[in-house]
Amino acid sequence: MVDVGPFIKLQRTKRQMTQEELSEGIVSLSYLSKIENKKTKASPEIIQLLCNRLGIEFAEETNSHIEEKCQQWYEMLFDHCDKQEMTDRYEELQVIMNQSINESFIMFEIHQIRYYSVLRDFNKALAKINELHELVDSFNHKHEYYWYKFKGGYYSLQDKHAKAMKLFKQAQEKIPLANLNEVEIADLKYGLAVTHSQLWQQLECLDYTQEAMEVFQREYNFDRCGQCHILFGISYQRFKKYEKAIKNFQLAKHLGELCDNKDVISLAHQNLGYLYSTTGNSEEAIKNYLLAIEDKDVDTDNLLSTYTCLIEEYYHVKQYEKVEQNLREAKELLSKVTYSDLWNLYDYIIKVYTHLINEEFDKFKVVLTDHFIPYLKQAGEHSYLVFYSKLLANLLEEWGKYKESVQYYKLASLSYEEFVNM
């Protein structure tokens, strides 16, 4: 059993109880502070009195039943798993954990970071990170591993990929001491692969994806194999090895269908659409984008991303009625989003094309120059900066505003240099 002091502290803060309220009539305030900060070991009698006041039990021995139920819940914390069942199991465990201090307590608390991240409840995920921060000194090696890993996952979903990479690497350093199975290590390697992909570090992405894939294949985990094929496809596309990219996206789609993973199927079509768009095949691009949004139950961010790609493609081929139709659908979907950190990005894209379609060119220019382009610069979204700076420059040139157009052509060129050197 780890030192009980941090457990006492966490249970006290969860109940919004002050040290004065907990210690009164049991120990001095300074002595409770020493207990909570592991500067002294309290007698069993004092621990029992503190637990009584908190309304919890203190279990010195590991409860195998609780540990087993926790492990079952941990194995559900993935995007493709049933969210309602995940929540039901969490609420059941939360009742148990709120009634006692046991060996599984800290691990359960750390896993809540992943739980809230999977549910895309980022406010609660961050609150849990802040709540646990003061207990880090009491973590063992396995606790530290999951602490770094789940924080890395949280920041990855926030598009803070450099920060996520640092945390994933810290988790990786803990592997030799944390007594982990190969599936868990493969999951971390997949997280590292995704983050390298987001940072356009393709060779590293391929290496980590291959290492993760070998384990997932041995386990016949088709969901995770499908996700790995998506990463392979993205990497090969960026290397302009289009046949290999298409093959991997199609394999991902097949595996998604095999295990009824709608998110993998949608992502495969979305990436195929983007590949065909970049190679000038608008017909195949549109076909795949439409297949990607066919099922509205997939991840909302992926849906919105596909809608914006579809709007751009329809505008490129001058199918303006289709642009208007998809703008309406994208607006409706965006109005239901409460958690997306990319909300501003999608909102700006929708506004840009709404003004273009309505021939509101002054509003179009103001949105880009005063709002969208500054937002993209601050966010470091170089690929979008290239596209939208060039779009603005082309239209300014058409309108005879050559001096202004040159300014945005230069911005597109500089952004492209930043993009390829990432």
Side-chain angles (χ1 to χ4, degrees), residues 315 320 324 351-365 399:
Y315 187 83
Y320 300 130
E324 289 179 343
K351 283 176 179 173
V352 164
Y353 282 95
T354 298
H355 293 321
L356 271 179
I357 285 296
N358 294 333
E359 298 185 351
E360 299 168 336
F361 298 123
D362 288 340
K363 290 181 179 178
F364 162 82
K365 184 184 172 188
W399 301 335

Side-chain angles (χ1 to χ4, degrees), residues 37-55:
N37 292 294
K38 300 197 304 180
K39 293 181 179 177
T40 189
K41 286 190 179 290
S43 68
E45 292 78 17
I46 288 176
I47 293 297
Q48 189 59 59
L49 287 169
L50 293 172
C51 287
N52 289 345
R53 182 157 292 172
L54 288 165

Side-chain angles (χ1 to χ4, degrees), residues 197-202 237-238 240 274 278 380-387 411-422:
S197 179
Q198 294 287 356
L199 294 170
W200 284 71
Q201 296 165 352
Q202 300 313 133
Q237 180 180 335
R238 289 171 179 173
K240 302 190 186 305
Y274 184 72
T278 57
E381 293 283 1
H382 301 297
S383 60
Y384 284 103
L385 262 176
V386 173
F387 182 87
L411 176 59
S413 178
L414 288 170
S415 300
Y416 181 75
E417 288 179 21
E418 291 279 350
F419 183 59
V420 297
N421 289 323
M422 283 176 67

Side-chain angles (χ1 to χ4, degrees), residues 183-244:
V183 174
E184 173 53 48
I185 296 169
D187 186 56
L188 176 66
K189 288 181 177 179
Y190 174 77
L192 281 159
V194 170
T195 310
H196 278 298
S197 179
Q198 294 287 356
L199 294 170
W200 284 71
Q201 296 165 352
Q202 300 313 133
L203 291 175
E204 294 88 345
C205 173
L206 286 170
D207 287 342
Y208 278 114
T209 304
Q210 184 60 46
E211 290 178 24
M213 173 80 112
E214 288 171 4
V215 176
F216 297 146
Q217 285 176 329
R218 286 199 296 273
E219 296 290 319
Y220 300 100
N221 191 331
F222 298 132
D223 284 300
R224 307 310 304 279
C225 288
Q227 292 171 330
C228 287
H229 279 299
I230 295 285
L231 288 177
F232 280 138
I234 291 169
S235 294
Y236 286 128
Q237 180 180 335
R238 289 171 179 173
F239 285 132
K240 302 190 186 305
K241 296 184 177 181
Y242 297 122
E243 288 186 11
K244 280 191 171 184

Side-chain angles (χ1 to χ4, degrees), residues 16 19 23 47 66 89 112 120 191 205 238 242 255 277:
Q16 298 183 327
Q19 285 185 323
S23 63
I47 293 297
I66 293 175
R89 292 287 188 94
Q112 287 179 52
R120 303 300 190 265
C205 173
R238 289 171 179 173
Y242 297 122
L255 289 167
S277 176

